[in-house]
Amino acid sequence: MGQVHHPNAPWYINAICTWALSIVIFCGRIRDLFWKRPQTRKGYADLSDQREDFYNRRMYRRIHDCYNRPIASAPGAWIDVMERVDIDGRAMSTQPDLMGGTRRCLNLGSYNYLGFAAADEYCTPRVLDSLAEWGVSTCSARTEAGGWVAGVVVGCCCCGSC
């Protein structure tokens, strides 16, 4: 296989990201100086490591709302995201309350961001035809049920003997 080249970010982007993360960690450590961690009862182990606990409390909970978004539609090229509001108004709320409305958004973060799994006039008939012809999967070793034509073709193309 050939060498894969990954482009590097410019130095100033690396510097800004490192500086921003350093500030967040520094402020979190300062807050931890004044925050007393609950003591574990004698004879019991801690439920979480202090590093994990620091990450959850000081970093992840502050931005979890950006990532944990419930959707109300199939994950196609466009999705309906459910609107939410914090129950107690705090930024660190772990259980936001659903407001009942949805917002139509372009799907840039799902496993189906290209929309191949959504029902459309182009992909759906072709997928159903290929499922009818080839089945869902091979589900067996080549020595037990023989070779699969599409698998042999792909194997030959990968080896360069097509």
Side-chain angles (χ1 to χ4, degrees):
M1 293 179 100
Q3 186 76 4
V4 177
H5 174 68
H6 297 288
N8 293 326
W11 68 270
Y12 56 89
I13 298 293
N14 290 333
I16 291 171
C17 290
T18 303
W19 177 251
L21 186 60
S22 300
I23 289 174
V24 169
I25 291 172
F26 178 73
C27 291
R29 295 291 181 198
I30 295 297
R31 286 180 154 202
D32 278 354
L33 289 175
F34 300 106
W35 180 72
K36 184 174 171 136
R37 188 167 193 228
Q39 295 295 320
T40 307
R41 291 190 330 190
K42 187 176 181 180
Y44 291 93
D46 287 337
L47 292 177
S48 63
D49 183 25
Q50 285 192 1
R51 290 182 310 251
E52 292 174 15
D53 193 40
F54 175 80
Y55 173 77
N56 285 330
R57 280 184 296 104
R58 302 295 180 205
M59 296 181 177
Y60 177 72
R61 282 191 199 160
R62 297 184 184 279
I63 60 170
H64 79 281
D65 186 50
C66 298
Y67 303 110
N68 301 340
R69 293 283 184 161
I71 60 173
S73 65
W78 291 89
I79 56 175
D80 295 326
V81 177
M82 300 173 81
E83 293 180 345
R84 305 183 298 178
V85 66
D86 286 338
I87 294 172
D88 53 5
R90 296 182 343 190
M92 290 180 59
S93 176
T94 57
Q95 294 296 322
D97 194 19
L98 298 175
M99 294 170 42
T102 60
R103 180 178 291 177
R104 189 91 169 144
C105 298
L106 179 63
N107 187 2
L108 297 175
S110 174
Y111 57 89
N112 188 33
Y113 66 95
L114 294 175
F116 290 143
D120 66 357
E121 64 277 353
Y122 182 79
C123 288
T124 303
R126 286 167 177 77
V127 168
L128 293 175
D129 290 343
S130 67
L131 285 173
E133 182 179 353
W134 299 102
V136 177
S137 70
T138 56
C139 292
S140 67
R142 194 172 196 177
T143 56
E144 290 182 20
W148 185 45
V149 175
V152 172
V153 170
V154 168
C156 289
C157 288
C158 289
C159 294
S161 60
C162 288

